Amino acid sequence: MWTTILEHGDLKNDAAYYLHPNNYGFKALTMRDIPLSAHFGRATRNVLQFQMWFCLAILICCAPYPFMEWLALTIVVILLVWHSAALVLLIASVVLVKDYKPGIWKSLFYWSWWLMYAVIFCVLAAALGGYLGWYLWLNNVRTYRTISSMQSYKNIDPAIVPGDQIADAGLVEFAELVDVDRSRGGCFMHAGDTYCVAPITHGGKVIDNLGDAPRFGSYDYFAVGINCCNCPNQDFQCGEWRNPLASGGVRSTDFVSRPFYRLAVDEWSAQWLKVSAHPIFFEWTQDPVHHWKTLWWDALHICILALSFIVPVIFCTSLVLDRLLQFFVDSGYASRLNTPGPPRGLERSWRRLLPEILEQHLEEKRQQNAGLMGYDSMAACLPPGALTQQRSPSIGVGGAQAQQPPGVRQPDVIAGITA
């Protein structure tokens, strides 16, 4: 190893090779002797980590079991604390110890680059995943789970079966000739929203004759929706109102809107002089079971699309950040040399949180020690008194400068040792 140091003169030449744009820039992609993993390895790791944090954040809101939600939250917190602790440990080891070596700030800038972006990626992935998870919970997962815990009924005739008899209904397939009376609905307006209801009856019409009313004397089944009718409601357009084959209902699980639906039913009862003792609210649809399963599959497809979108975005972002770091190295603002080391007592923490930086720090020490040993070995092989001939403070080996052919640079042994 000392031969390499003598040939180059100092450690900076070795570092300059590894920090050359060929190793970090897009130009290296055209070099056949360099594997693609050397260029895409870090970007691939960033993508996988971002996807993992993103999925864990979604599970916090949408996990099928409560213990999985707490487990996902615990893992996200641990990962965030881990990456933050690594960054804080590196900065504190340099700032608090106050043992500043030449170029230490450039080295700190270089080594803290990806540690900082690891924390940023973790926070960003958790925020985006949490937002998407909360959106899916409100629009898909909550309804899916609530209906999963309820019962399914078939061939229900609103003229025969009262609402309190199937109060636990989640999915209902109505009997033949059952339809929504779109022309005799009710409505209630609140905070700019219109809450619409329309009775689900045998024959699809509310008859004024008392003899055609339900046997139990109460209209308990209503199709509902928000902002899908005018007030007064004489043209109900909620759910699959255009589908002539629609004959089923999915229980409305919007607990926030339920009181306003109840007020709309009260308005309907007062307008049409009808009784509704135990109203049940449904979203009108053709196939309730398919509609219920679609809630889960839609949420799953949205997650897959989000994860697919993450791959190119984070991958390209990582390559750009890698290239930007190389720009700072070439400009002299960052350097891989003079790697900071662990203060006394923190070696174990560095080994766990900063293994790559610790290895680089130890490698620099090994190269320095190897350089000193190489100089001693070379000196032992020279004739007696060779080091004292024409020795000057600025020349590492006396007399060697005069014996070099013109144009050949004398190896700067001292510089290689002390760099």
Side-chain angles (χ1 to χ4, degrees):
M1 182 177 295
W2 63 270
T3 305
T4 304
I5 297 176
L6 291 177
E7 291 176 353
H8 288 276
D10 53 41
L11 294 176
K12 295 183 179 179
N13 291 333
D14 292 335
Y17 169 76
Y18 290 107
L19 294 177
H20 193 272
N22 286 343
N23 294 312
Y24 288 86
F26 294 101
K27 180 180 179 181
L29 300 179
T30 62
M31 302 178 65
R32 297 181 180 179
D33 58 335
I34 298 179
L36 290 178
S37 59
H39 314 289
F40 294 161
R42 187 182 296 275
T44 302
R45 289 195 301 270
N46 289 339
V47 169
L48 295 178
Q49 290 177 356
F50 196 98
Q51 287 183 326
M52 179 185 65
W53 298 326
F54 187 80
C55 292
L56 288 173
I58 293 178
L59 284 177
I60 294 175
C61 300
C62 302
Y65 303 102
F67 81 92
M68 296 181 64
E69 297 176 356
W70 286 105
L71 180 61
L73 177 61
T74 302
I75 294 175
V76 170
V77 172
I78 291 176
L79 291 175
L80 180 58
V81 172
W82 181 275
H83 290 287
S84 301
L87 180 61
V88 171
L89 177 62
L90 176 61
I91 298 176
S93 298
V94 175
V95 175
L96 298 181
V97 173
K98 297 181 179 180
D99 184 16
Y100 304 141
K101 299 184 294 184
I104 189 64
W105 298 111
K106 296 180 180 180
S107 180
L108 177 63
F109 180 78
Y110 178 88
W111 290 107
S112 63
W113 180 264
W114 285 113
L115 294 177
M116 177 182 64
Y117 278 102
V119 176
I120 294 176
F121 283 162
C122 183
V123 173
L124 183 61
L128 294 178
Y131 177 81
L132 180 60
W134 182 247
Y135 171 83
L136 295 176
W137 167 258
L138 293 178
N139 294 276
N140 295 79
V141 179
R142 180 177 61 179
T143 301
Y144 179 85
R145 289 189 186 175
T146 303
I147 294 177
S148 299
S149 62
M150 306 177 78
Q151 300 298 322
S152 177
Y153 294 91
K154 295 183 177 181
N155 200 28
I156 297 297
D157 191 341
I160 301 175
V161 182
D164 57 351
Q165 186 171 329
I166 59 169
D168 59 347
L171 304 174
V172 174
E173 295 182 11
F174 293 100
E176 295 183 0
L177 303 179
V178 174
D179 204 349
V180 177
D181 189 351
R182 296 177 48 241
S183 62
R184 295 192 178 189
C187 61
F188 182 80
M189 299 185 67
H190 174 74
D193 293 324
T194 302
Y195 298 85
C196 309
V197 299
I200 302 174
T201 64
H202 183 86
K205 294 292 182 182
V206 176
I207 308 300
D208 294 333
N209 190 348
L210 294 178
D212 295 326
R215 295 180 183 179
F216 46 90
S218 175
Y219 291 87
D220 292 344
Y221 300 87
F222 289 88
V224 298
I226 300 176
N227 298 327
C228 49
C229 68
N230 296 321
C231 204
N233 182 8
Q234 297 181 355
D235 188 15
F236 182 82
Q237 298 182 1
C238 305
E240 299 183 20
W241 63 277
R242 290 183 176 179
N243 187 356
L245 300 178
S247 61
V250 177
R251 187 72 172 267
S252 174
T253 58
D254 188 354
F255 301 102
V256 176
S257 302
R258 183 173 297 179
F260 303 110
Y261 289 145
R262 190 66 178 87
L263 293 173
V265 171
D266 293 341
E267 188 273 338
W268 175 85
S269 299
Q271 180 179 358
W272 302 105
L273 302 178
K274 302 297 179 181
V275 177
S276 180
H278 304 283
I280 304 178
F281 306 122
F282 296 94
E283 297 178 17
W284 190 245
T285 183
Q286 177 181 348
D287 189 346
V289 176
H290 179 266
H291 181 88
W292 168 64
K293 291 182 178 180
T294 301
L295 294 172
W296 171 257
W297 289 113
D298 286 349
L300 182 61
H301 291 162
I302 291 175
C303 291
I304 294 176
L305 288 176
L307 291 173
S308 301
F309 178 77
I310 285 173
V311 173
V313 173
I314 300 302
F315 192 87
C316 293
T317 301
S318 299
L319 292 179
V320 171
L321 291 174
D322 212 352
R323 193 67 187 90
L324 184 60
L325 177 59
Q326 177 59 36
F327 169 77
F328 288 131
V329 171
D330 295 339
S331 302
Y333 296 105
S335 175
R336 189 183 176 91
L337 297 177
N338 300 312
T339 306
R344 182 173 299 179
L346 296 179
E347 293 84 357
R348 182 176 298 180
S349 299
W350 271 63
R351 191 175 296 111
R352 294 181 178 179
L353 296 176
L354 304 170
E356 182 181 0
I357 303 177
L358 179 60
E359 179 61 27
Q360 175 66 19
H361 173 73
L362 296 177
E363 178 63 23
E364 289 186 5
K365 280 191 171 182
R366 284 194 292 267
Q367 290 190 12
Q368 292 177 4
N369 295 335
L372 291 173
M373 293 175 59
Y375 176 74
D376 294 338
S377 300
M378 185 188 70
C381 297
L382 293 176
L387 292 178
T388 60
Q389 298 176 5
Q390 301 179 1
R391 185 178 183 87
S392 65
S394 61
I395 299 177
V397 180
Q401 183 72 21
Q403 299 176 6
Q404 294 295 331
V408 177
R409 173 175 173 266
Q410 166 69 22
D412 192 352
V413 178
I414 303 300
I417 297 173
T418 59

